[in-house]
């Protein structure tokens, strides 16, 4: 048997040109082991044949920012799994045209393009989407979620309907479907390569850090003296490499899948607010679907939440290396990125510096604005309480799924 050719971007695009981008991406996501040109071509051919065997009732355009063939297995946020399951469970009545790699929308404008109907489904971080749909900010109060388990628990919880999903539909025409769950920290550049691993919040004081689109994240960073600087993503890697900025506020899975690891020295697990790469759709499009297909969309979203709950936790350890002693084949180990975990006492110190529980004044204006948008809920307090219905040390795997759109 002849030796197979390692897949590169040019090879991927050649296959996509023949069998279609979506069929090729779905085939790549389903492959086990190394991606080769010949193997992917065979799988893409079979996938395209299966997808073209029926005439769809509706074709939905899915814009996924920053998602491409080189990072399929690094961050398991479930987009391709979700697309494939929608097609399969509707027996081809829904056909998904998946467009990744920022080709149709990017982190900051995918939500806008979904609201405008340019795409029907989209994937981006809720933080970057907050600029165009401000109610997303409700997820970003500092230390509202004590753990990744608490995040999953909330997104499954029936109260997420009234406190989050319903206002998103009413205010922003967005049907929030499911999300991956991580908590944000500081990814420190090479300036910190020869420094001891960070153990205290004081060691971060005065550093200059790139911030994403969330308005509330900036409040927390300012209160912790982390100097948030809005810098375009494409300039972030260069800024870290050259030492123009000290770090970037993001989550560890994102640092790995966005190829940030080569310019990082330390990943400080501050856990100070959400890092949620979510999938959602234009609500008007959702409402036009026949009721039976709406039910399927919700069931697939429910299963996609479970997919990310399971697969992303595995990928964080086995692929990213987001642990103190990462395996030798992980992204962080290969690039010499040290994970800096902070003690409970240090996390509490950070919480006292920036959380609305301890510093209510800087958050008052946003709390009032979001409470009005929610229809009168004290949304921060109510989500805070839901997130603490489970013990802080609950493993992510132990969070029991609930169909959030059905009454408890």
């Amino acid at each position: 048997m002849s030796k197979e050719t390692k897949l590169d971007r040019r090879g991927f695009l050649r296959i996509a040109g023949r069998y279609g981008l979506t069929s090729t991406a779905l085939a790549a996501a389903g492959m086990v082991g190394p991606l080769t040109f010949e193997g992917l071509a065979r799988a893409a051919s079979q996938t395209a044949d299966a997808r073209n065997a029926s005439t769809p009732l509706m074709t939905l355009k899915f814009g996924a920012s920053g998602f491409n063939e080189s990072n399929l297995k690094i961050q398991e946020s479930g987009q391709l799994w979700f697309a494939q399951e929608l097609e399969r469970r509707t027996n081809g009545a829904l056909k998904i045209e998946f467009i990744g790699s920022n080709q149709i929308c990017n982190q900051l404008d995918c939500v806008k393009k979904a609201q405008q109907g340019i795409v029907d489904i989209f994937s981006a971080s809720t933080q970057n989407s907050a600029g165009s749909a401000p109610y997303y900010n409700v997820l970003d109060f500092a230390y509202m979620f004590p753990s990744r388990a608490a995040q999953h628990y909330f997104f499954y919880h029936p109260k997420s309907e009234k406190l989050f999903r319903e206002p998103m539909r009413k205010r922003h025409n967005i049907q929030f479907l499911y999300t991956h769950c991580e908590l944000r920290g500081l990814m420190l550049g090479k300036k910190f390569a020869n420094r001891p691993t960070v153990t205290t919040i004081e060691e971060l004081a005065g550093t200059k850090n790139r911030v994403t689109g969330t308005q509330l994240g900036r409040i927390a960073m300012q209160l912790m003296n982390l100097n948030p600087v809005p810098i375009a993503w494409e300039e972030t890697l260069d800024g870290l490499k050259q030492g123009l900025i000290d770090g970037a506020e993001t989550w560890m899975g994102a640092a790995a899948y966005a190829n940030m690891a080569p310019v990082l020295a330390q990943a400080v697990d501050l856990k100070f607010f959400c890092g949620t790469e979510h999938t959602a759709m234009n609500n008007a499009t959702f409402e036009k679907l026949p009721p039976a297909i709406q039910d399927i969309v919700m069931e697939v979203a429910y299963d996609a939440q479970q997919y990310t709950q399971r697969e992303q936790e595995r990928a964080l350890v086995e692929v990213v290396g987001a642990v103190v002693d990462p395996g030798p084949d992980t992204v962080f180990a290969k690039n010499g990125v040290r994970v800096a975990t902070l003690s409970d006492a240090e996390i509490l110190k950070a919480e006292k510096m920036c959380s609305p529980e301890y510093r209510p004044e800087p958050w008052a204006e946003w709390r009032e604005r979001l409470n009005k948008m929610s229809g009168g809920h004290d949304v921060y307090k109510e989500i805070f309480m839901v997130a603490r219905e489970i013990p802080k040390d609950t493993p992510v795997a132990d969070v029991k799924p609930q169909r959030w759109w059905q009454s408890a």
Side-chain angles (χ1 to χ4, degrees):
M1 186 177 177
S2 61
K3 188 178 178 183
E4 297 209 335
T5 314
K6 187 178 178 182
L7 186 73
D8 58 15
R9 180 150 181 78
R10 183 179 294 178
F12 182 92
L13 293 175
R14 271 180 62 197
I15 298 168
R18 182 167 184 182
Y19 299 111
L21 183 61
T22 304
S23 293
T24 305
L26 291 174
M31 289 180 72
V32 177
L35 288 175
T36 66
F37 179 86
E38 293 81 4
L40 182 57
R42 287 191 296 270
S45 173
Q46 293 166 0
T47 303
D49 287 346
R51 295 180 69 237
N52 294 330
S54 59
T55 303
L57 175 72
M58 189 181 292
T59 298
L60 300 179
K61 200 170 282 187
F62 189 156
S65 60
F67 196 82
N68 61 56
E69 69 284 353
S70 66
N71 59 25
L72 290 174
K73 301 295 183 183
I74 297 176
Q75 179 173 277
E76 289 281 10
S77 37
Q79 293 95 330
L80 287 168
W81 187 92
F82 178 74
Q84 193 162 34
E85 285 296 297
L86 280 183
E87 292 190 346
R88 187 180 71 80
R89 294 194 208 177
T90 60
N91 294 315
L94 286 185
K95 188 169 186 177
I96 310 301
E97 185 184 350
F98 187 87
I99 309 167
S101 301
N102 294 315
Q103 289 182 73
I104 195 167
C105 61
N106 60 42
Q107 278 283 344
L108 292 171
D109 71 8
C110 270
V111 63
K112 196 181 296 181
K113 291 192 174 179
Q115 290 169 317
Q116 294 166 343
I118 296 168
V119 298
D120 303 293
I121 306 171
F122 76 99
S123 180
S125 80
T126 61
Q127 290 72 37
N128 278 322
S129 303
S132 295
Y135 197 73
Y136 277 115
N137 279 286
V138 81
L139 298 174
D140 295 342
F141 288 102
Y143 291 104
M144 185 165 69
F145 292 99
S147 65
R148 296 194 299 270
Q151 291 173 286
H152 281 286
Y153 182 80
F154 172 73
F155 288 114
Y156 282 127
H157 203 288
K159 285 185 180 176
S160 73
E161 265 293 310
K162 283 286 180 198
L163 296 175
F164 179 58
R165 298 168 193 268
E166 187 180 289
M168 287 301 303
R169 291 192 293 268
K170 287 182 176 177
R171 297 285 178 178
H172 300 311
N173 187 33
I174 293 297
Q175 172 74 299
F176 186 101
L177 294 168
Y178 72 94
T179 186
H180 118 296
C181 295
E182 286 188 60
L183 291 167
R184 290 172 177 266
L186 280 191
M187 307 299 125
L188 298 174
K190 292 299 185 186
K191 199 183 280 189
F192 286 78
N194 297 319
R195 298 190 192 179
T197 303
V198 170
T199 57
T200 67
I201 190 73
E202 286 84 3
E203 291 168 76
L204 301 171
T207 55
K208 185 177 174 185
N209 299 285
R210 184 252 182 185
V211 67
T212 45
T214 169
Q215 289 92 332
L216 271 65
R218 294 178 196 195
I219 296 173
M221 290 177 76
Q222 285 161 350
L223 291 173
M224 287 192 284
N225 194 21
L226 299 179
N227 298 316
V229 183
I231 295 176
W233 174 250
E234 55 271 18
E235 295 171 19
T236 301
L237 298 185
D238 200 44
L240 284 167
K241 192 184 295 181
Q242 296 184 29
L244 301 175
I245 53 174
D246 299 299
E249 157 271 294
T250 190
W251 64 91
M252 294 191 212
Y257 98 86
N259 199 32
M260 188 188 275
V263 299
L264 296 182
Q266 299 188 40
V268 184
D269 196 12
L270 261 181
K271 304 177 185 173
F272 71 120
F273 72 103
C274 272
T276 33
E277 188 81 6
H278 79 305
T279 296
M281 70 185 292
N282 177 302
N283 189 54
T285 300
F286 177 81
E287 295 291 348
K288 286 177 192 169
L289 297 173
I293 291 184
Q294 287 184 10
D295 289 344
I296 292 171
V297 171
M298 296 308 295
E299 283 295 323
V300 176
Y302 171 67
D303 288 342
Q305 189 69 49
Q306 294 172 73
Y307 176 94
T308 67
Q309 179 184 0
R310 178 182 67 250
E311 295 300 324
Q312 177 60 15
E313 288 300 303
R314 178 194 57 76
L316 277 172
V317 176
E318 296 178 11
V319 183
V320 177
V323 289
V324 173
D325 295 308
D329 294 328
T330 60
V331 174
F332 278 7
K334 286 178 179 176
N335 290 280
V337 181
R338 284 172 283 153
V339 174
T341 57
L342 302 181
S343 68
D344 288 346
E346 284 300 315
I347 292 291
L348 180 59
K349 197 187 294 180
E351 199 174 332
K352 287 181 175 179
M353 291 171 77
C354 68
S355 163
E357 288 299 286
Y358 298 96
R359 300 282 300 277
E361 302 85 3
W363 304 93
E365 189 177 330
W366 265 105
R367 283 186 75 170
E368 185 180 353
R369 181 181 177 186
L370 292 166
N371 288 349
K372 284 179 183 173
M373 292 175 79
S374 76
H377 292 275
D378 183 351
V379 279
Y380 163 72
K381 197 66 183 175
E382 291 185 49
I383 295 175
F384 180 96
M385 296 304 291
V386 170
R388 282 155 183 77
E389 287 178 5
I390 57 172
K392 186 179 177 181
D393 60 355
T394 301
V396 172
D398 289 357
V399 176
K400 291 182 170 55
Q402 298 182 76
R403 288 173 173 83
W404 56 85
W405 65 100
Q406 297 177 2
S407 297

